[in-house]
């Protein structure tokens, strides 16, 4: 029935929907899962993603498949068509540098996100071109609002999140977040994981939660560290009271370390549950 | 097409512990004619920023209002305020881009209070800019900079800053050829911008005219 109204972006259906935009959003649901978690204690943001294309023949390169920096203080995770994403990322980078050129200070994160979203929206209204099949998780820091996480979708809408999941099986991921995302869980001292000592990175519990979510959303049950891409966004206070924002992509060894920690923890939990249930 | 850049406008600025004080003379004149003696050369760019401008009347008001309107737009469009540093650099960039096309002959002082505290930026018509603690533009600078150098100290209170400014104005009234009887003083601090007099008391700006019938004393409805 609505087939007649879904060929062009610029046509509303009789129910008042833009089918092309909705189909674009469906495309995202088949993409590799992306998780973003803002540490409730203000230590930073964890961005974790499942890499889809893993082959020994792939040339190892410094460029990642899912995570891209936009400026010194903003980076993003991509879910959807990489080629579409590349255009938008270039726009975002250009916008950030233009802002820096005019105001001599880093662009506030929301403004960068808003301009990308406006760009995306124009493809749902003008020109008869298809929308971008990309959803982003933008993570950044600015002096006014601290650490922020934004999700954007092909319609050009954006929203701010404390933690969210996009891509394949995101509903499963979101339900885990609903129970597990709280300050007590994500503060290192309260973390029950005995593999980590107290000098550990304060983002460790958030990293562990992100990995736990990805394990649930992945289609394979035997996770290999090469399937994960994890980036941490943190800040350092300098001597002159300025703030240095930095993002660090975890290397293979580090991912393996956290992954092993989480897998061991999960197995322990399963054993505990099995032993208590056998008491009944 | 070159117009002579007038240096007769006096602009002064001093930064203190938690405020910035700007002073500007109030005369608008051309050649040997004085048009008015109550010109306000200090614009409120937003709630916590001031910009004092000098130069030919057309350029001065045009540039000032252009920056002011763009900052208003920024405040409305974005949920975060622009810092003084950002605003000053934006203004400088506009001057710099126009410099080699159709330049504005406007000297300015931009003062603001933001998360980093009070700051004062000196900008001249060729788009050079410096962040400073004390500044002056025009002929007035020749007389007052030395006074400021002598009496300004770090982290001055508002009273101390005012006393320095009073000394500067006294110097101008004694030694500067052009009569400068009245100045407008504006201060910006954590509470925003306000007009003050020489003793530091807040001066109420004239209220805008209202058009309510009840305010109109000639209204026939009162009878």
């Amino acid at each position: 029935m609505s087939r007649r109204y879904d060929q062009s972006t610029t046509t509303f259906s009789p129910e008042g929907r833009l089918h092309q935009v909705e189909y674009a959003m469906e495309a995202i649901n088949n993409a590799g899962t992306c998780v973003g978690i803002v540490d409730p204690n203000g230590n930073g943001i964890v961005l974790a993603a499942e890499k889809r294309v893993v082959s020994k023949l792939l040339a190892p390169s410094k460029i990642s498949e899912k995570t891209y920096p936009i400026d010194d203080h903003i980076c993003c995770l991509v879910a959807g068509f990489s080629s579409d994403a590349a255009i938008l990322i270039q726009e975002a980078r250009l916008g950030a540098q233009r802002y820096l050129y005019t105001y001599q200070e880093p662009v506030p994160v929301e403004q960068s996100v808003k301009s990308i979203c406006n760009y995306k929206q124009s493809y749902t209204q003008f020109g008869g071109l298809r929308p971008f099949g990309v959803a982003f998780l933008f993570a950044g820091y600015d002096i006014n609002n601290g650490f922020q996480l934004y999700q954007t979708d092909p319609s050009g809408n954006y929203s701010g999140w404390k933690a969210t999941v996009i891509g394949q099986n995101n509903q499963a991921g979101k339900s885990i977040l609903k129970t597990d995302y709280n300050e007590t869980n994500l503060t290192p001292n309260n973390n029950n994981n005995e593999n980590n000592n107290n000098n550990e990175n304060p983002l460790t519990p958030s990293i562990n939660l992100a990995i736990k979510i990805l394990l649930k959303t992945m289609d394979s049950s035997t996770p290999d560290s090469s399937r994960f891409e994890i980036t941490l966004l943190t800040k350092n206070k300098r001597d002159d009271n300025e703030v240095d924002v930095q993002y660090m992509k975890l290397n293979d060894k580090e991912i393996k370390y956290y992954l092993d920690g989480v897998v061991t923890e999960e197995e322990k939990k399963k054993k505990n549950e099995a032993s208590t249930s056998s008491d009944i | 097409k070159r117009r002579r850049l007038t240096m007769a406008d006096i602009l002064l600025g001093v930064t203190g512990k938690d405020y910035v004080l700007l002073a500007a003379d109030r005369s608008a004149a051309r050649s040997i004619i004085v048009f008015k003696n109550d010109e306000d050369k200090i614009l409120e760019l937003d709630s916590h920023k001031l910009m004092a401008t000098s130069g030919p009347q057309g350029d001065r008001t045009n540039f000032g209002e252009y920056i002011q309107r763009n900052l208003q737009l920024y405040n409305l469009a974005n949920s975060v305020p622009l810092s003084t540093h950002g605003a000053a650099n934006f203004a400088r960039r506009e001057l710099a881009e126009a410099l080699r096309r159709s330049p504005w002959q406007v000297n300015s002082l931009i003062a603001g209070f933001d998360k980093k505290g009070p700051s004062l930026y000196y900008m001249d018509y060729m788009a050079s800019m410096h962040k400073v603690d004390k500044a002056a533009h025009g002929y007035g600078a020749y007389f007052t900079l030395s006074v400021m150098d002598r009496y300004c100290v770090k982290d001055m209170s508002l009273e101390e800053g005012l006393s320095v400014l009073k000394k500067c104005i006294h110097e101008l009234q004694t030694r500067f050829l052009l009569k400068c009887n009245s100045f407008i003083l504006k201060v910006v601090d954590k509470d925003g911008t306000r007009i003050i007099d020489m003793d530091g008391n807040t001066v109420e700006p004239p209220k805008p005219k209202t058009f309510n019938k009840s305010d109109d004393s000639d209204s026939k409805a009162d009878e």
Side-chain angles (χ1 to χ4, degrees):
Chain A
M1 327 115 253
S2 51
R3 278 294 309 243
R4 268 190 229 151
Y5 303 97
D6 63 359
Q7 297 300 322
S8 159
T9 349
T10 53
T11 316
F12 273 109
S13 79
E15 299 99 57
R17 294 154 67 173
L18 287 171
H19 285 290
Q20 276 297 303
V21 177
E22 290 179 21
Y23 296 162
M25 297 205 265
E26 264 308 301
I28 313 298
N29 287 334
N30 296 327
T33 318
C34 301
V35 182
I37 297 177
V38 180
D39 176 48
N41 298 314
N43 291 312
I45 305 183
V46 175
L47 292 176
E50 177 205 342
K51 275 198 273 207
R52 273 305 175 71
V53 192
V54 181
S55 160
K56 285 202 192 117
L57 295 174
L58 264 180
S61 73
K62 296 209 174 81
I63 303 171
S64 51
E65 181 189 305
K66 300 288 266 180
T67 324
Y68 298 93
I70 304 293
D71 196 357
D72 292 339
H73 61 299
I74 307 179
C75 61
C76 68
L77 270 182
V78 171
F81 294 7
S82 302
S83 43
D84 284 9
I87 306 285
L88 290 169
I89 288 169
Q90 186 57 14
E91 269 305 305
R93 287 172 175 165
L94 194 53
Q97 293 308 311
R98 280 195 182 126
Y99 189 97
L100 203 52
Y101 179 72
T102 306
Y103 297 101
Q104 298 293 314
E105 48 185 38
V107 61
V109 188
E110 188 175 351
Q111 279 176 52
S112 174
V113 173
K114 213 190 273 194
S115 70
I116 288 303
C117 284
N118 287 342
Y119 191 77
K120 277 200 218 186
Q121 187 278 343
S122 63
Y123 280 75
T124 69
Q125 196 171 12
F126 314 112
L129 302 166
R130 68 164 175 82
F132 288 94
V134 192
F136 287 105
L137 284 182
F138 279 99
Y141 176 89
D142 61 46
I143 198 174
N144 283 300
N145 290 320
F147 285 107
Q148 300 147 73
L149 179 68
Y150 294 96
Q151 173 192 340
T152 70
D153 64 33
S155 66
N157 278 323
Y158 72 92
S159 40
W161 295 85
K162 295 179 199 167
T164 190
V165 186
I166 57 175
Q168 197 173 57
N169 281 333
N170 59 66
Q171 312 89 325
K174 281 180 180 162
S175 57
I176 299 179
L177 279 177
K178 278 206 186 97
T179 51
D180 286 4
Y181 181 86
N182 55 57
E183 200 174 316
T184 29
N185 256 3
L186 296 178
T187 307
N189 289 335
N190 296 337
N191 190 6
N192 293 329
N193 194 334
E194 283 149 20
N195 285 343
N196 301 328
N197 59 44
N198 280 340
N199 297 333
E200 205 66 3
N201 186 347
L203 286 178
T204 302
S206 304
I207 299 173
N208 291 337
L209 179 56
I211 293 177
K212 183 175 161 194
I213 291 171
L214 283 176
L215 287 174
K216 284 263 154 47
T217 59
M218 271 180 183
D219 47 11
S220 93
S221 50
T222 48
D224 178 45
S225 60
S226 64
R227 295 282 298 267
F228 291 83
E229 209 172 281
I230 303 181
T231 310
L232 308 178
L233 191 76
T234 51
K235 73 174 195 276
N236 276 340
K237 226 188 181 153
R238 293 207 305 244
D239 289 334
D240 55 356
N241 267 336
E242 292 292 318
V243 169
D244 252 344
V245 188
Q246 43 185 210
Y247 36 74
M248 186 177 73
K249 197 161 152 244
L250 295 185
N251 63 33
D252 208 43
K253 242 194 244 163
E254 290 165 319
I255 296 181
K256 209 169 178 333
Y257 169 75
Y258 288 108
L259 183 58
D260 289 343
V262 175
V263 168
T264 324
E265 186 67 19
E266 291 296 300
E267 281 171 5
K268 240 192 249 167
K269 269 202 202 136
K270 276 200 193 128
K271 268 199 207 134
N272 283 342
E273 280 168 16
S275 60
T276 50
S277 62
S278 66
D279 289 345
I280 297 168
Chain B
K1 229 181 155 187
R2 275 278 160 86
R3 271 172 299 173
R4 245 196 58 208
L5 178 64
T6 57
M7 287 176 66
D9 292 335
I10 301 168
L11 297 183
L12 310 171
V14 295
T15 315
K17 186 171 198 304
D18 50 7
Y19 67 91
V20 187
L21 192 50
L22 288 184
D25 76 301
R26 305 203 68 173
S27 68
R30 190 151 162 198
S31 168
I32 55 171
I33 312 274
V34 176
F35 295 114
K36 59 200 302 231
N37 278 316
D38 57 358
E39 178 77 9
D40 181 358
K41 296 178 191 167
I42 306 178
L43 276 163
E44 278 106 30
L45 296 182
D46 71 18
S47 64
H48 286 73
K49 291 183 192 58
L50 293 171
M51 178 159 128
T53 50
S54 75
Q57 185 75 352
D59 278 359
R60 195 181 67 70
T61 49
N62 202 273
F63 181 69
E65 284 171 13
Y66 178 67
I67 301 301
Q68 184 186 49
R69 290 301 141 210
N70 269 291
L71 282 188
Q72 301 279 39
L73 178 62
Y74 188 102
N75 282 336
L76 283 167
N78 304 309
S79 46
V80 293
L82 192 55
S83 65
T84 317
H85 169 91
N89 274 291
F90 168 71
R92 194 207 79 80
R93 182 62 69 190
E94 291 295 319
L95 275 176
E97 301 273 303
L99 183 64
R100 299 196 187 268
R101 283 184 266 137
S102 58
W104 274 298
Q105 289 183 326
V106 180
N107 293 321
S108 51
L109 295 177
I110 295 188
F113 191 95
D114 56 16
K115 280 195 164 76
K116 293 198 175 143
S119 46
L120 175 64
Y121 291 85
Y122 169 101
M123 206 161 22
D124 85 357
Y125 72 104
M126 285 185 288
S128 70
M129 187 173 81
H130 300 279
K131 184 176 181 304
V132 291
D133 289 333
K134 44 194 183 309
H137 271 301
Y139 286 131
Y142 295 131
F143 298 91
T144 54
L145 280 175
S146 44
V147 176
M148 290 180 186
D149 285 343
R150 170 75 181 81
Y151 291 109
C152 277
V153 291
K154 213 168 152 27
D155 292 342
M156 285 189 295
S157 68
L158 187 57
E159 291 73 32
E160 290 173 306
L162 271 168
S163 81
V164 173
L165 227 49
K166 266 191 221 172
K167 292 190 172 74
C168 290
I169 291 172
H170 181 258
E171 185 69 24
L172 287 165
Q173 287 170 340
T174 316
R175 289 295 178 192
F176 186 31
L177 179 68
L178 304 179
K179 200 167 68 165
C180 33
N181 279 342
S182 55
F183 284 81
I184 183 160
L185 263 65
K186 291 195 187 177
V187 69
V188 58
D189 59 17
K190 66 172 172 29
D191 300 322
T193 65
R194 61 186 189 281
I195 306 174
I196 56 173
D197 64 16
M198 289 291 213
D199 302 313
N201 303 318
T202 309
V203 170
E204 281 301 318
K207 284 198 169 51
K209 198 173 161 120
T210 55
F211 293 92
N212 283 328
K213 274 232 167 84
S214 52
D215 289 351
D216 187 357
S217 54
D218 292 342
S219 169
K220 291 214 174 96
D222 287 339
E223 289 166 14

